[in-house]
Amino acid sequence: MCCTIGSWVIIHMVSSFLVIRTTAMIESYVPSQILMPSQCTLITLDYKINFRPDKADRIPQLHERVADRIYNLLTSNGGLYIKIGQAIGANAALMPRPMQDRFGRLFDDAPQIPYSFIESVFRSEFGRPPAGLDGVFAEFEEQAIASASIAQVHRAKLKTGEWVAVKIQKPDVSKQVEWDLGAFRIVMWMFENWLFDMPVYFAVDFITSHLRQELDFLQEAQNATTTAGFIAAEPRLSGRVHIPKVYSEYSTRRVLTAEWIDGVRLSDRTGIRKLMGEENLASGAPTKSVQSTLGDVRLKGGLRAIMQTMVELFSAQMFSWGWVHCDPHPGNIIIRPHPRHSTRPQLVLLDHGLYVKVGDQFRRQYAELWRALLAADWDTVERTTKSWGIGTPDIFASATLMRPVRFRSKRETISGENDFENGTMNQYEQSVRMKERLRGFLLDTDKLPKQLIFLGRNMRIVQGNNQVLGSPVNRIKITGYWASRSLTTSMDLTFREQVKEYWHDITFRAIMFSIDLAFWMSKLKQWIKIKLGRTSEGFEDELERSMRGFAKSAFGVDVAPGVFAG
């Protein structure tokens, strides 16, 4: 279990697991509340009994057994428990190979609840049914167009004629939340204090307080309005990004009504490539698309235009606004033609239930960290990470950039660091050594900015979105530019400080030329291979390959291809 629990400590590879695992307990029922801790106890006992030096040759079978047990538990419960498995699969880089293999196969659909339950929610919230003579809407489609774990979405028509998307919270979710979050709290406390001596409990309060907000759809409506305001005030994004209009008169804490958007979800890779005129590059099976009437519409700019906007949007959130959408997975992003420019793509951002506010001091530190990472200013990186209670800045830097970063010279290399590569340790010794290194990652959890948990998840998903589309943009460069530029626009700078920041920004852009050159060389190789009819590898794929090597040499973990794909 050292490999499994230990990976939670690395914020940028594990944040989604903490967030989604907590979310997953929101919709469970009492049997699931009992089942999850009991299964955790069985897994714990299995490791306590069988994870021993004299049984080192049986540890691979132990990992297989536990992976099967967790996989079966999650799939049998369904709903949000599926998302636990997806989070494990997306953040399994430092987990045993069986974990990586099992959780890459999970699907995302949640079962729909019967229409009778939907009608009961409407009568409770509005005192009338969804449709009919005295109904809320002129028309209401009883079949949901999408079903997630805490809510499902139906298409409806207002009495004024506009089509809308209606998000309805599933029954019993709010009733169970405190029980489920309490179960989560107990399990995390046990893992830290009784079982594995790994710091996992420190983030529980921060995560649960934010996840409770997701159950309040009025808060989600306010979040959407706030984000729309930020976008309208940013010339570089205004018009390129759209937030669906919320109809407050048809929204309550359990029902959210917003503008209907017709387009193609980013998760529909085949549909997106077709929409952007790059279907000749498509690979793999078609994926489910949002209901669309776009037909044979083709937009200009290609996949690069989409990802350029996306990376800039989330960079602005982190470095300029301090207001971060924490779930930018492909299902929450729709691409449509711009309403006033029919050949231009517009990115539509959905699901505004979970946001994190980032204070000015931390936002500035985070921007300085990014600029220092890309400029190889290791003194600044170490100073910042140390102030956050992080003991291994090179691991943190690698997880942030999603590429290997090493600060130490050969003379300063920790004794035994190459033992993983040399193959001199058995499975038990590798796991023990890995746990030691992970425990050195977080030295003081009280200092760690808890926002990093959600920021890490955000950046991992954006990175994955870029990778699955073939790395059309240099994500690292774009993010670095926004970080550096944001430091020149701080309102509390003196004239002298502002001049200094502008000089740093100019110098930084010159340094970034080498990163951009590497990106375009990668794009050239990718283009040549496509022309020759060979399998191509994008820039993010190359970074993933190097990260797999880093995981092997630093932690002795055999990472499966695609684990870093987000």
Side-chain angles (χ1 to χ4, degrees):
M1 194 64 173
C2 293
C3 292
T4 306
I5 300 301
S7 64
W8 291 358
V9 179
I10 299 187
I11 295 299
H12 289 277
M13 293 182 179
V14 65
S15 49
S16 341
F17 182 72
L18 286 171
V19 174
I20 297 180
R21 178 182 179 124
T22 308
T23 308
M25 293 187 175
I26 290 177
E27 201 190 9
S28 61
Y29 297 91
V30 173
S32 296
Q33 294 166 1
I34 298 172
L35 188 59
M36 177 65 80
S38 65
Q39 286 295 316
C40 289
T41 301
L42 286 176
I43 292 168
T44 300
L45 290 174
D46 201 354
Y47 270 98
K48 285 289 188 183
I49 294 170
N50 297 301
F51 188 76
R52 294 163 42 185
D54 58 324
K55 296 184 178 182
D57 59 331
R58 302 179 192 174
I59 288 178
Q61 291 79 12
L62 172 62
H63 291 327
E64 288 276 355
R65 190 163 61 246
V66 169
D68 283 335
R69 183 174 287 139
I70 297 176
Y71 180 86
N72 293 334
L73 169 66
L74 302 182
T75 52
S76 63
N77 277 281
L80 279 165
Y81 284 88
I82 294 294
K83 291 189 176 295
I84 299 178
Q86 290 174 329
I88 294 174
N91 295 275
L94 296 181
M95 292 183 181
R97 187 64 175 264
M99 286 285 191
Q100 301 173 30
D101 294 338
R102 298 295 187 283
F103 299 106
R105 307 196 303 258
L106 289 170
F107 55 88
D108 191 30
D109 290 333
Q112 296 188 21
I113 58 173
Y115 177 72
S116 58
F117 287 101
I118 297 298
E119 185 171 1
S120 69
V121 171
F122 267 82
R123 291 189 180 278
S124 174
E125 298 295 303
F126 297 101
R128 47 195 176 133
L133 293 177
D134 62 339
V136 177
F137 302 106
E139 298 179 34
F140 187 89
E141 296 179 357
E142 295 188 10
Q143 184 72 20
I145 59 170
S147 180
S149 300
I150 66 170
Q152 65 187 43
V153 179
H154 292 253
R155 195 166 180 253
K157 190 176 186 179
L158 299 179
K159 293 178 180 179
T160 54
E162 301 101 313
W163 285 99
V164 293
V166 187
K167 180 178 178 180
I168 303 103
Q169 190 174 119
K170 292 182 177 179
D172 297 323
V173 171
S174 59
K175 296 179 181 178
Q176 293 294 319
V177 62
E178 295 306 324
W179 285 98
D180 295 327
L181 293 180
F184 167 75
R185 183 181 296 274
I186 292 170
V187 169
M188 292 298 98
W189 188 90
M190 289 173 59
F191 279 164
E192 177 166 330
N193 293 280
W194 287 0
L195 305 176
F196 305 108
D197 191 26
M198 298 294 291
V200 294
Y201 190 78
F202 71 95
V204 168
D205 287 339
F206 184 80
I207 292 173
T208 54
S209 66
H210 279 79
L211 290 176
R212 285 190 185 97
Q213 297 175 19
E214 283 202 274
L215 299 180
D216 184 353
F217 289 175
L218 291 179
Q219 179 63 53
E220 180 173 346
Q222 182 57 52
N223 292 345
T225 301
T226 300
T227 304
F230 277 123
I231 291 170
E234 174 51 69
R236 290 169 288 183
L237 294 171
S238 180
R240 294 165 58 195
V241 180
H242 179 72
I243 306 300
K245 173 187 174 183
V246 173
Y247 292 85
S248 57
E249 62 271 37
Y250 304 109
S251 299
T252 69
R253 290 178 63 89
R254 299 172 65 198
V255 177
L256 178 66
T257 302
E259 167 189 11
W260 172 262
I261 300 294
D262 194 35
V264 180
R265 289 189 187 271
L266 194 68
S267 54
D268 179 5
R269 301 178 198 174
T270 302
I272 285 292
R273 290 183 181 278
K274 181 179 179 181
L275 179 65
M276 302 310 298
E278 295 188 11
E279 58 263 53
N280 59 312
L281 301 178
S283 61
T287 50
K288 184 179 179 181
S289 174
V290 70
Q291 183 178 343
S292 174
T293 59
L294 296 183
D296 294 326
V297 171
R298 296 292 185 276
L299 304 180
K300 295 180 179 179
L303 299 176
R304 184 177 185 276
I306 294 175
M307 283 309 306
Q308 180 80 23
T309 298
M310 185 186 304
V311 177
E312 289 188 355
L313 170 62
F314 289 100
S315 296
Q317 291 183 6
M318 290 183 291
F319 302 121
S320 297
W321 307 338
W323 176 250
V324 185
H325 184 292
C326 294
D327 200 14
H329 69 76
N332 282 341
I333 295 169
I334 292 177
I335 306 300
R336 70 168 183 176
H338 193 290
R340 296 188 301 276
H341 306 283
S342 59
T343 60
R344 297 181 188 174
Q346 187 178 64
L347 186 151
V348 181
L349 183 62
L350 309 177
D351 195 352
H352 300 272
L354 182 58
Y355 274 79
V356 168
K357 293 180 181 178
V358 179
D360 290 342
Q361 180 180 356
F362 171 72
R363 181 162 53 89
R364 183 174 181 83
Q365 285 182 318
Y366 198 52
E368 289 176 341
L369 176 74
W370 259 88
R371 187 170 67 183
L373 283 171
L374 297 177
D377 179 5
W378 307 132
D379 289 339
T380 298
V381 173
E382 291 193 86
R383 182 174 63 252
T384 302
T385 53
K386 183 177 180 180
S387 72
W388 292 346
I390 295 171
T392 52
D394 47 353
I395 294 179
F396 182 85
S398 299
T400 299
L401 294 179
M402 289 306 299
R403 71 176 191 185
V405 176
R406 293 184 184 273
F407 293 177
R408 296 184 297 271
S409 66
K410 291 293 184 181
R411 290 178 302 174
E412 297 172 311
T413 298
I414 296 175
S415 175
E417 183 168 346
N418 294 322
D419 287 347
F420 289 124
E421 290 182 319
N422 297 336
T424 58
M425 293 187 293
N426 60 35
Q427 287 277 339
Y428 177 83
E429 292 168 336
Q430 287 184 23
S431 297
V432 170
R433 178 66 61 84
M434 177 183 172
K435 180 177 178 180
E436 290 174 356
R437 292 190 180 171
L438 292 177
R439 287 183 64 185
F441 178 74
L442 284 183
L443 298 179
D444 190 342
T445 56
D446 290 336
K447 292 182 179 179
L448 186 77
K450 306 306 184 291
Q451 297 93 329
L452 282 171
I453 296 170
F454 290 99
L455 292 188
R457 170 178 163 76
N458 175 295
M459 299 192 77
R460 281 277 291 112
I461 297 176
V462 172
Q463 175 265 332
N465 291 341
N466 192 39
Q467 183 172 356
V468 297
L469 292 180
S471 309
V473 300
N474 188 341
R475 170 187 56 87
I476 293 176
K477 184 191 77 170
I478 297 169
T479 307
Y481 277 177
W482 273 86
S484 182
R485 183 65 176 174
S486 71
L487 293 170
T488 68
T489 57
S490 298
M491 300 299 294
D492 57 346
L493 295 180
T494 65
F495 176 76
R496 184 175 181 178
E497 289 172 334
Q498 197 165 37
V499 170
K500 183 179 179 181
E501 288 295 349
Y502 271 108
W503 173 249
H504 283 318
D505 185 54
I506 293 171
T507 306
F508 172 76
R509 289 173 181 269
I511 294 172
M512 288 291 289
F513 176 76
S514 62
I515 294 177
D516 212 24
L517 182 62
F519 172 78
W520 286 111
M521 287 297 294
S522 173
K523 295 296 290 183
L524 178 61
K525 289 190 293 183
Q526 186 180 14
W527 180 81
I528 292 173
K529 287 183 178 180
I530 291 174
K531 290 298 182 181
L532 294 176
R534 296 163 58 185
T535 303
S536 62
E537 184 179 63
F539 187 61
E540 300 280 11
D541 297 311
E542 294 180 8
L543 294 181
E544 179 201 296
R545 180 159 37 81
S546 62
M547 280 297 291
R548 290 170 59 201
F550 176 77
K552 181 68 174 177
S553 63
F555 297 102
V557 180
D558 183 19
V559 177
V563 164
F564 293 107

